[in-house]
Amino acid sequence: MSETRLARPRRIIAIAAVAAALLALPMGAAPAFAAQPVPVAKYVALGDSYGAGQGAGAPLDSCLRTTLGYASQIGAVPRFNLLRLPACSGATIDQVSARQLGYVNQGTTLVTITAGANDLNIGGVYAACAPDETSVACQQAIAAATAAIQTVGPKMAGLIGAVHARSARATIVVTGYPEPFAAGAAAADPLAAVVNAASDALDAQLAGAVLAEATTGVPAVFVPISFGAHAIGGADVPWIGGDPTDPVTFFHPNVLGYAAYRDAILGVLP
């Protein structure tokens, strides 16, 4: 008998064994195949002191970047590669556009932006009003912030569009800012209530800018942030600096606060 005739029964037996194994699987089950690897996101973090991670440890440079801000925490997740962290303390939206946008290129697939608070100078409002809420300096600071709020939305929309123009495939995540003061603290202190209201108004402008760009097909999403009882004066462990004599940490998240940012951002990504 030839070699070919000998091999044929063996092949039939092997095929029958495979079929029997498949039939033995539970209903709806399927043989396991190797999962497709998740692409690594090429990540660039733009923005102000919140984007830089100010308040989460010892500053590394004049931009007050730290190794434990939300961008660095996201970069520690295996499927993200933090390529650049140009975010810098004090940056306005215009300064992000002028000084940081160049770090985004066609290879970038994720961009986060936290900016706008410096356009309103919310910290400056608190500093001007804390000594005397009836002072001329306080009223001028509030008036300047009120006038500036209307410019935030168009500026952020322009920045989002510019990022998209540099990398059409990048997902753009714009974060909001938490109310610095817990609800109880804001109810007891008119100045705290003013600061919280300014943060809310800022977030509304940022969210509106994202929505306007998203409706044109830009892959942009707004992520609101809330610290709840972890805000200044809250009942839980603080996630934000509450000592006005420490300008580095005051009104800035600590490591736990930036972890909340990290989780909120990761929650909107595939």
Side-chain angles (χ1 to χ4, degrees), residues 11 17 22 34 39 46 53 57 67 99 104 110 137 197 211 229 231 249 252 268-269:
R11 288 199 297 270
L22 291 173
L46 310 179
T67 59
R99 303 172 185 174
V104 177
L110 173 63
L211 178 61
T249 64
H252 287 88
V268 302
L269 297 175

Side-chain angles (χ1 to χ4, degrees), residues 68-162:
L68 292 172
Y70 76 74
S72 296
Q73 292 190 37
I74 291 173
V77 177
R79 63 192 180 94
F80 295 92
N81 182 8
L82 180 59
L83 298 177
R84 297 288 185 272
L85 177 55
C88 189
S89 180
T92 63
I93 296 174
D94 284 344
Q95 289 169 342
V96 173
S97 298
R99 303 172 185 174
Q100 301 178 23
L101 187 59
Y103 289 95
V104 177
N105 58 41
Q106 293 181 358
T108 307
T109 58
L110 173 63
V111 176
T112 57
I113 306 173
T114 304
N118 290 313
D119 292 74
L120 270 60
N121 192 21
I122 293 177
V125 171
Y126 185 88
C129 295
D132 181 3
E133 296 173 28
T134 65
S135 68
V136 173
C138 175
Q139 300 309 309
Q140 289 176 338
I142 292 175
T146 302
I149 190 64
Q150 301 302 322
T151 70
V152 168
K155 288 180 179 180
M156 181 55 73
L159 175 57
I160 294 169

Side-chain angles (χ1 to χ4, degrees), residues 238-251:
W239 290 352
I240 186 170
D243 181 1
T245 66
D246 184 349
V248 173
T249 64
F250 186 53
F251 276 5

Side-chain angles (χ1 to χ4, degrees), residues 115-118 120 122 149 152 177 197-207:
N118 290 313
L120 270 60
I122 293 177
I149 190 64
V152 168
Y177 294 85
S199 297
D200 294 342
L202 173 58
D203 281 357
Q205 287 287 317
L206 297 174

Side-chain angles (χ1 to χ4, degrees), residues 9-23:
R10 294 173 184 169
R11 288 199 297 270
I12 293 172
I13 293 171
I15 293 170
V18 172
L22 291 173
L23 290 172

